[in-house]
Amino acid sequence: QVQLVESGGGLVQAGGSLRLSCAASGRTFSSYGMGWFRQAPGKERESVAAINWSGRSTAYADSVKGRFTISRDNAKNTVYLQMSSLKPEDTAVYYCASTSATWGLSVKYDYWGQGTQVTVSS
């Protein structure tokens, strides 16, 4: 069982940066792959970024490549999403999730946070 809590969302101007954090309560956090997802109004949830258990491997959606960076600090049971060059179309509720299966953008995720709102103004 893993409890995930996102934080760091807020309002930012286009072109700005924001760092999201996802804190996990599970003792076995280091064995889980992690992912960030987002859901904008009127759109389906989409995968944004993924990271394997060690943090040495990452994957990104095409829409955020070069702008977003996923990372993790297993000692702190935390995964991060550093977002730069933000665009209005990045506006969404961002969720973190964990998977005990093979890591990746489209694998099955078992546990989800409640989300944090990111709003990018024009």
Side-chain angles (χ1 to χ4, degrees):
Q1 293 287 340
V2 177
Q3 292 284 338
L4 304 173
V5 180
E6 303 95 338
S7 63
L11 176 65
V12 64
Q13 292 182 329
S17 299
L18 205 62
R19 190 182 77 161
L20 306 183
S21 299
C22 176
S25 62
R27 294 183 178 182
T28 58
F29 172 78
S30 62
S31 67
Y32 284 81
M34 299 292 295
W36 284 98
F37 297 78
R38 67 186 182 187
Q39 187 166 22
K43 298 185 65 178
E44 296 184 355
R45 184 181 65 196
E46 64 174 332
S47 180
V48 174
I51 189 167
N52 78 331
W53 67 270
S54 69
R56 297 183 65 182
S57 298
T58 59
Y60 299 92
D62 289 341
S63 59
V64 306
K65 285 181 179 178
R67 300 189 298 118
F68 290 11
T69 301
I70 187 172
S71 62
R72 68 191 298 162
D73 186 339
N74 288 342
K76 297 181 178 179
N77 286 356
T78 302
V79 63
Y80 305 94
L81 185 67
Q82 178 66 51
M83 305 183 293
S84 300
S85 301
L86 283 163
K87 305 174 181 179
E89 51 263 45
D90 295 319
T91 295
V93 177
Y94 283 72
Y95 302 88
C96 69
S98 65
T99 176
S100 57
T102 302
W103 77 280
L105 291 172
S106 59
V107 301
K108 181 181 179 181
Y109 281 82
D110 305 302
Y111 301 101
W112 296 78
Q114 294 188 4
T116 185
Q117 176 70 46
V118 172
T119 302
V120 184
S121 62
S122 301

